[in-house]
Amino acid sequence: MATKKTTILNLPEEEYVHPGNRACAGCGLSIVYKTGLKALGRDSILVVPPSCLTVLQGLYPIAATQLPCLNVTFASTAAAATGVLAAMRAQKRPDVQVAAWAGDGGTSDIGLQALSGACERGEDFIFICYDNEAYMNTGVQRSGTTPQHVLTTTTPFTGKHQRKKDVPAIIAAHGIDYVATASAAYPLDFYDKVVKAKSIPGPKYIHVHTPCPAGWGFSPRYTVKIGRMAVETGLFDLYEREKGQFRLTGASEKMLDKKRKPVADYFATQNRFKGMDAEKIRVLQAEVDEKWAAYEKVAQGIC
């Protein structure tokens, strides 16, 4: 379904996040949260587990957000969102948008069971995962979405051995009508995807790549630059899967006929990749090239 692209000129001016909050300098989540709430609008209720977002929002009775938020346990985000939906139905308020908003730990690991159950039941809410690729709020421990070879406080000195868990693919396997990826470095693309998700009944899932200066080991001023590099190297792809139909979007779609940056350039910007050697980089570059060769074939109608 084609939608009009949002630009900085027609982005809503109303803010739902106060200018002061407890996020780290350069926090990618600050960009994602500010933009996402503009897309959700005032008639929304947020459901948030323990995460960097609970830190950003502040301690009771002070809050950085203007929207009502239910703070829940790590494992229960999607289940609690289901309960909020039931309450809204009981009050005959179908116009209220329920949005679950969790980090990668509360989505890919601890919260995956509840999310899977909600998708299987067809619950009508949006689940947004901001993926900063580790448990940043509690000390940079590895999560299921931590990339292979990354150093965290709970990985071997050689880095994480396992590959990054592909959560959007797992959720898409439930057969829901809308799964998308986005990036904090491309906030208008994220905005449009949240707006589209609001118009689609049933469960919707958006996975947002969210750079973290403190956890990834880079200067806070480079948050957007590094987020863009993840897309420009082809390591992270922007796409939509709507009613089973896959398509690249935004910057990723434009890269189909362009030369991508080497993945080594991205790895060199962050301390968390300092354990990688030339052979590991070569293997990962080959994997990215293979993935994009498949995208090129689909775009050309070859398969």
Side-chain angles (χ1 to χ4, degrees):
M1 179 175 65
T3 56
K4 183 179 179 181
K5 299 292 184 183
T6 300
T7 70
I8 195 64
L9 297 178
N10 59 15
L11 184 70
E13 293 185 7
E14 186 173 8
E15 300 287 351
Y16 301 104
V17 182
H18 296 299
N21 61 63
R22 300 171 71 225
C24 299
C27 175
L29 173 58
S30 295
I31 301 172
V32 173
Y33 195 50
K34 181 176 181 179
T35 308
L37 294 196
K38 284 178 177 285
L40 288 171
R42 187 166 294 281
D43 291 333
S44 302
I45 297 177
L46 307 177
V47 181
V48 179
S51 59
C52 292
L53 183 51
T54 57
V55 175
L56 184 155
Q57 287 180 327
L59 298 174
Y60 178 85
I62 304 301
T65 176
Q66 299 181 33
L67 301 185
C69 178
L70 178 65
N71 289 111
V72 299
T73 59
F74 234 138
S76 66
T77 309
T82 299
V84 174
L85 279 171
M88 293 302 100
R89 286 196 296 269
Q91 295 181 26
K92 295 181 171 52
R93 298 185 63 189
D95 55 315
V96 175
Q97 176 65 62
V98 177
W101 205 309
D104 48 289
T107 302
S108 69
D109 302 333
I110 302 173
L112 187 59
Q113 178 177 342
L115 174 56
S116 176
C119 289
E120 187 270 335
R121 295 191 304 272
E123 303 291 353
D124 188 10
F125 71 100
I126 301 173
F127 194 106
I128 298 171
C129 170
Y130 65 93
D131 183 8
N132 50 27
E133 300 184 329
Y135 290 83
M136 298 305 181
N137 184 34
T138 53
V140 195
Q141 298 91 350
R142 59 90 86 193
S143 76
T145 67
T146 301
Q148 191 175 26
H149 308 308
V150 160
L151 293 169
T152 73
T153 56
T154 54
T155 47
F157 69 90
T158 52
K160 183 187 174 190
H161 294 169
Q162 298 79 16
R163 292 170 180 256
K164 179 182 173 81
K165 187 185 294 186
D166 189 350
V167 182
I170 294 172
I171 303 305
H174 290 73
I176 70 175
D177 284 346
Y178 191 71
V179 174
T181 62
S183 168
Y186 297 92
L188 297 180
D189 175 74
F190 173 55
Y191 175 91
D192 283 340
K193 287 170 178 173
V194 175
V195 170
K196 177 182 283 191
K198 289 172 61 178
S199 70
I200 299 173
K204 288 79 60 173
Y205 179 80
I206 304 177
H207 195 98
V208 192
H209 194 240
T210 309
C212 172
W216 293 12
F218 64 84
S219 172
R221 59 182 171 158
Y222 294 131
T223 297
V224 171
K225 178 180 179 180
I226 287 176
R228 287 182 178 271
M229 285 186 69
V231 173
E232 292 166 350
T233 57
L235 281 163
F236 187 84
D237 312 325
L238 306 176
Y239 66 79
E240 290 179 317
R241 192 180 296 274
E242 189 173 358
K243 295 185 182 298
Q245 297 298 311
F246 175 92
R247 73 180 188 91
L248 293 172
T249 63
S252 290
E253 183 180 22
K254 294 175 182 177
M255 280 169 39
L256 282 170
D257 57 356
K258 293 182 179 179
K259 184 177 181 180
R260 299 182 308 279
K261 293 181 178 179
V263 296
D265 291 357
Y266 177 73
F267 298 146
T269 63
Q270 302 152 66
N271 291 339
R272 62 177 182 154
F273 290 109
K274 63 184 180 182
M276 295 186 69
D277 56 30
E279 177 58 21
K280 291 176 181 177
I281 293 174
R282 184 196 67 78
V283 170
L284 288 174
Q285 182 67 70
E287 291 177 356
V288 170
D289 291 344
E290 182 179 1
K291 175 181 67 174
W292 277 84
Y295 287 158
E296 295 282 356
K297 289 182 179 179
V298 170
Q300 295 168 11
I302 297 176
C303 61

